[in-house]
């Protein structure tokens, strides 16, 4: 395939139309992942205030203008329609859209859509091909279904916090909203899978995404070791319980993550740091022995690492086949040449007419050898209301009336 052919191909989700009724992070993140790959995502927001994330973020001035950093990060490539879904006219407008759209995302508490008269069966009656994705803390069924759930609530209830930290400093939450993000990623994956089935059968789907279950799914060996062996996991700080030396080590000027999990990697590490005697030390001869004596091994390895900087060791060890990388700050990580080469951080026009650029993250995967691009910046609140209502068949007079009564 030539580069010209690749450029001519449509985006993966080109032609897919998504109604995004979500707020804050898990749902908007899902919608953003779909928008990055070509879906036409229409964000349906409450008049006057919109998505709560518009008021969240590190810049107070932006939040007061309903362009909070938390909103800007997850809503590029979307359009904004304001609708009061408690108003009969607002409800009717949404149902008109449902007839024409492919996907509906929502992350209300279970039961809210039913109370609005917009439940699963109502939407299916309007569009049997609709992929309806409901994201919630615990799922649409079960004894916890009605509980409020934020990221930290799910981190704690999933067991994540119990294995984060050290035996002395524990429990700890992850320093980022991992449960929200995992829920959003699971929702985007579920929607894509449902669209594939619909392409074959013509039948839509009802997707029930649980943040709690998404979090547990992502915990990998922490959950599987307990389920399979019955051994409950314990917090180990920066150590890797599956191998040693594998964890975070001090160098001359900072910290370095090393994962010398294989015997060859261990012997190579010992030679490169000038500690060849460790190879034949009976305490470290077998992988199981190295785990038993991980503290003594750490002390010996750090003695060798203290002779050079973390960056130097990262290059030396990586080139020799020993997995190693510095522990970076977020600004340093985002400044990596690797990310620039893959065009992962995108620069867009700032919404609302500000002269400064807006930098946001792109998709975590490339398509046909190229990074995806965003065509538009995040929308201002209600930016596309009149245009969208006109597309749905409303006259200029009807739109004016809806504005007067606060429907939009």
């Amino acid at each position: 395939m030539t580069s010209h052919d690749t450029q001519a191909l449509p985006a993966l989700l080109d032609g897919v139309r998504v109604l995004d009724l979500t707020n804050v992070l898990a749902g908007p993140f899902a919608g953003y992942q779909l928008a990055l790959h070509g879906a036409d995502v229409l964000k349906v927001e409450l008049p006057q205030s919109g998505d709560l994330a518009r008021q969240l973020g590190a810049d107070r001035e932006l939040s007061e203008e309903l362009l909070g950093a938390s909103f800007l990060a997850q809503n590029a490539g979307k359009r904004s329609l304001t609708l009061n879904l408690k108003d009969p006219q607002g409800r009717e407008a949404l149902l008109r859209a449902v007839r024409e759209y492919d996907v509906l995302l929502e992350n209300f508490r279970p039961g809210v859509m039913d109370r609005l008269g917009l439940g699963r069966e109502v939407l299916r009656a309007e569009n049997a091909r609709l992929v309806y994705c409901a994201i919630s803390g615990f799922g649409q069924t079960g004894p916890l279904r009605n509980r409020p759930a934020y990221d930290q609530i799910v981190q704690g209830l999933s067991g994540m916090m119990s294995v984060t930290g050290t035996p002395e400093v524990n429990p700890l939450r992850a320093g980022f909203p991992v449960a929200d993000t995992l829920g959003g990623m699971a929702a985007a994956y579920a929607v894509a899978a449902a669209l594939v089935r619909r392409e074959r059968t013509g039948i839509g789907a009802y997707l029930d995404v649980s943040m709690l279950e998404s979090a547990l799914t992502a915990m990998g060996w922490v959950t599987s070791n307990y389920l399979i062996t019955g051994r409950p996991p314990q917090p180990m700080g920066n150590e890797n319980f599956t191998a040693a030396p594998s964890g975070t080590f001090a160098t001359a000027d900072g910290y370095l993550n090393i994962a010398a999990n294989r015997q060859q990697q261990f012997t190579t590490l010992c030679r490169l740091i000038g500690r060849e005697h460790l190879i034949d030390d009976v305490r470290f001869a077998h992988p199981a022995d190295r785990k038993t004596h991980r503290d003594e091994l750490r002390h010996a390895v750090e003695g060798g690492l203290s002779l050079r900087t973390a960056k130097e060791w990262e290059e030396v060890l990586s080139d020799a086949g020993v997995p190693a990388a510095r522990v970076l700050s977020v600004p340093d990580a985002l400044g990596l040449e690797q990310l620039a080469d893959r065009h992962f951080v995108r620069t867009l026009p700032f919404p609302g007419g500000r002269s400064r650029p807006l930098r946001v993250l792109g998709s975590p995967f490339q398509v046909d050898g190229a990074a995806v691009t965003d065509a538009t910046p995040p929308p201002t609140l209600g930016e596309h209301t009149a245009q969208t209502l006109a597309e749905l068949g409303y006259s200029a007079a009807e739109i004016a009336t809806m504005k007067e009564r606060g429907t939009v």
Side-chain angles (χ1 to χ4, degrees), residues 165-180:
T166 66
E168 298 77 25
V169 182
N170 172 267
L172 287 177
R173 65 177 288 274
F176 60 97
V178 60
D180 268 323

Side-chain angles (χ1 to χ4, degrees), residues 21-37:
L21 278 62
T22 65
N23 278 270
V24 187
L25 184 50
F29 180 87
Y32 182 46
Q33 298 308 304
L34 300 176
L36 282 170
H37 290 281

